[in-house]
Amino acid sequence: MANKLTFSRRQLLQGMASIAALTPRGRVFASEGPATAPRERLFPFRYSDVKLTGGPLKAQFDRVHASYLTLNEDSLLKELRIRAGIPAPGEYMGGWYDRDGFAPGHCFGQFISGLARFANATGDEPTRAKTQRLVEGFAATIAQDGYCYPSQKASTNFPAYNYDKYVVGLLDAYEFAGVASALPTLAHATQGALRYMPPRALDRYHDPHPQGADDESYTLGENCFYAYEVTGEKQYLEMAKKFLLNVTYFDPLSRGENVLPGRHAYSHCNALSSAARAYLVLGDPKYLDTIRNAWDMIETTQQFASGGWGPNEEFVEPHKGKLGESLIGTHKHFETPCGSYAHLKLARYLLRFTGEACYGDGLERVLYNTVLGAKDPDGDGRFFYYSDYHATAQKRYYPEKWPCCAGTLPQVVADYMISAYFRSPDGIYVNLFVPSEVSWKIADQPVRLIQTTNYPESESTELRLEIPAPAEFTVFVRIPGWLQSPAQISVNGKDASVAAEPRSFAVIRRVWRNNDTIQVTLPFSLRKQPIDERHPNLVALTRGPLLLVALDPQLKIDSNQLNAHGGLTANSRTGQGLQLKAVHEDLRFVPFYIVGEQSYTTYLDLA
């Protein structure tokens, strides 16, 4: 079956160079739809193709990787082993994860997934080996009939939710950590899980559910399609199609009907990745319309200046001032690691399908202003959950141990690698400006692009190519939509004379030679962003891609203090990033991502 799938896709993409670099392990996907033009304009790199070499993204990547390497394997497996009747050493995890917790064992599969991605990204053998031990430990607990949940009472375990995490963890272990036993383990667990799945996708808060409102069967499609793509087994394809939330969600979204308000924000954003995978595999343009329309609705009616959304974990009714009202009504403004994971996945799918730079802008905005600013895990099960945009807020841990964001944090941070660059038949797309290296092949010869920058503290970056012999291809550079003055692009010190309009990719095509360099400057500017149309005087300050927050500020200030030409000046660039200071008042602004234990205010009320 694998050879048949590969041959079919190779026919579809005939003429593309270095196809093995475009998908994990050289795997390519069968199409269930008509044999038309490819559905992807851009293609992801493998985690191992990209290396972060410095800057705040790498610092967080390294810290989170190190944190998850310390997870106690016996504790992770304890309740599974008890249920299986085998020795179960180790301490209980506590919090949501335990037998009496909110969702026992809920993020076990995500821990495997995150570790597998880190293993592929770093080549670290201890990380790969830990991934394998967890897969094998899990396999040993699965009952003969396939029962795979921690408790004997599947109704308390969110069976669809847990199974979804098992699927992605086992597939990632196979794809990115080379754990061959992961696929038969998935088949065995699927045998037992099917008995506890609903007959179709049940919409949270909109359908009665035998396992309770929180079981998210409507997110299953994405990873079932993934299982079909990896294995070729039709069972997973049929499951994927069965769990698409068409009638109440995807169909109206595809027609432009905004059905987001009132829905659980993270999981329904995450469900959009099932529509994306459906488009990739099935080819129905309805699903592309669904995700494009939903993205536009989120961007124009739901987002704070950070790019985050979903106060109290719900999409709000648009144009009613609900975002502004939430500033005094809650401290739970954005479910950060989870919401970022869903948002960045959706942005990557849209980039792949359309090649449009606006989705890279949205990815960058959420990355730098939400998950990059998350507090690190404390080592004892405490995690950062909500970004808080309430006045004089502080970054805090969620009160219970091992919440859902404990599972998505390693996945979203490992995914920094595959968010930075994309491939196309014509060349390479530079999506993020981050100190990094990426390697691929052009006409069977190796090419490496080395990016050197202090972005986002600096507004410039340099791209240098290492190539053994001259080769003609295109370097596409994202020109952000937040620009208010022209981007500057030069090649080897000379003006490149290429179009560089905001919300586009600049196209630089030439015969490249070893050590050719591209210099890019993206002039930063200060911008005031009202929270919504009902509250025009509640504004956040942004500079370039960054949300700036005021430290210990007055809550009302003169609008002239936010005038980019007179009110605020850059007074220091520290190891912690840029700081701005008001000329006449003791009012300091810093990027949200560098805030530690200080109190801060995101939105200021202009007098």
Side-chain angles (χ1 to χ4, degrees), residues 207-458:
D207 283 310
H209 196 298
Q211 262 73 37
D214 293 327
D215 201 24
E216 297 166 3
S217 58
Y218 49 89
T219 70
L220 280 169
E222 180 188 21
N223 289 321
C224 290
F225 279 124
Y226 181 17
Y228 169 64
E229 292 160 3
V230 172
T231 67
E233 294 291 337
K234 291 284 188 178
Q235 170 185 234
Y236 297 118
L237 176 62
E238 295 308 313
M239 290 176 66
K241 291 190 289 188
K242 181 170 73 171
F243 291 116
L244 291 173
L245 192 57
N246 287 319
V247 174
T248 62
Y249 194 48
F250 296 158
D251 289 349
L253 285 172
S254 72
R255 298 189 296 265
E257 299 173 24
N258 190 348
V259 292
L260 297 176
R263 282 181 160 85
H264 183 246
Y266 158 60
S267 62
H268 282 90
C269 183
N270 195 33
L272 295 171
S273 287
S274 294
R277 213 81 181 208
Y279 174 68
L280 181 64
V281 175
L282 304 178
D284 186 341
K286 171 183 78 174
Y287 294 111
L288 180 57
D289 292 339
T290 293
I291 60 175
R292 294 193 73 154
N293 290 342
W295 177 278
D296 291 344
M297 293 167 190
I298 291 171
E299 187 172 65
T300 59
T301 71
Q302 301 292 332
Q303 286 188 308
F304 297 98
S306 66
W309 32 260
N312 290 321
E313 300 190 27
E314 283 194 0
F315 286 123
V316 300
E317 188 177 2
H319 313 303
K320 298 293 181 66
K322 298 296 184 182
L323 293 179
E325 291 174 8
S326 77
L327 295 185
I328 59 174
T330 185
H331 290 271
K332 304 172 181 179
H333 290 103
F334 182 50
E335 193 178 355
T336 300
C338 289
S340 298
Y341 181 57
H343 198 100
L344 271 58
K345 277 195 304 173
L346 184 60
R348 287 194 300 270
Y349 281 124
L350 284 162
L351 275 165
R352 288 165 60 182
F353 299 155
T354 71
E356 295 175 11
C358 60
Y359 303 116
D361 289 355
L363 186 155
E364 177 187 64
R365 179 184 182 188
V366 169
L367 189 160
Y368 279 117
N369 299 315
T370 64
V371 67
L372 182 61
K375 288 170 67 77
D376 291 342
D378 77 343
D380 190 34
R382 302 286 182 185
F383 285 83
F384 183 82
Y385 194 121
Y386 296 112
S387 290
D388 184 355
Y389 307 133
H390 197 282
T392 60
Q394 285 184 294
K395 293 180 179 179
R396 302 184 186 278
Y397 289 121
Y398 190 71
E400 294 184 68
K401 291 185 177 182
W402 306 108
C404 53
C405 286
T408 46
L409 179 64
Q411 293 177 299
V412 68
V413 172
D415 284 354
Y416 291 170
M417 300 294 189
I418 60 170
S419 294
Y421 303 95
F422 293 83
R423 279 286 314 272
S424 80
D426 295 329
I428 186 168
Y429 281 68
V430 179
N431 186 50
L432 292 180
F433 308 108
V434 56
S436 56
E437 301 174 2
V438 57
S439 300
W440 76 105
K441 287 187 177 181
I442 294 289
D444 293 327
Q445 68 170 335
V447 183
R448 185 163 66 141
L449 185 150
I450 301 169
Q451 184 171 186
T452 305
T453 184
N454 288 322
Y455 190 96
E457 296 171 24
S458 165

Side-chain angles (χ1 to χ4, degrees), residues 36 38 40 46 62 73 94 116 118 134 160 166 170 187 266 299 337 357 428 437 456 497 514 540 543 553 555 599:
T36 58
E40 295 172 87
R46 286 177 61 78
D62 289 344
E73 296 164 34
F118 279 122
L134 288 173
Y166 293 158
L170 293 169
Y266 158 60
E299 187 172 65
I428 186 168
E437 301 174 2
S497 299
N514 194 41
R543 181 178 186 272
L555 298 184
S599 64

Side-chain angles (χ1 to χ4, degrees), residues 531-586:
I531 192 166
D532 57 39
E533 60 264 54
R534 294 286 185 95
H535 300 88
N537 288 328
L538 281 175
V539 301
L541 190 67
T542 59
R543 181 178 186 272
L546 296 177
L547 168 68
L548 302 179
V549 295
L551 300 181
D552 301 314
Q554 304 173 118
L555 298 184
K556 285 194 175 185
I557 61 173
D558 188 325
S559 61
N560 290 330
Q561 291 182 268
L562 299 187
N563 186 299
H565 301 291
L568 290 170
T569 59
N571 71 324
S572 67
R573 292 181 188 274
T574 70
Q576 292 186 310
L578 174 76
Q579 293 190 21
L580 301 177
K581 186 176 177 67
V583 173
H584 301 298
E585 299 287 342
D586 187 16

Side-chain angles (χ1 to χ4, degrees), residues 357-358 361 478-487 499-505:
C358 60
D361 289 355
R478 183 173 57 84
I479 307 301
W482 45 257
L483 279 176
Q484 296 185 323
S485 54
E501 297 299 318
R503 290 172 69 90
S504 74
F505 281 98

Side-chain angles (χ1 to χ4, degrees), residues 488-515:
Q488 301 159 27
I489 302 178
S490 61
V491 176
N492 298 330
K494 298 181 179 179
D495 185 359
S497 299
V498 297
E501 297 299 318
R503 290 172 69 90
S504 74
F505 281 98
V507 180
I508 312 168
R509 186 169 184 86
R510 56 179 277 142
V511 176
W512 298 98
R513 291 172 171 80
N514 194 41
N515 287 322

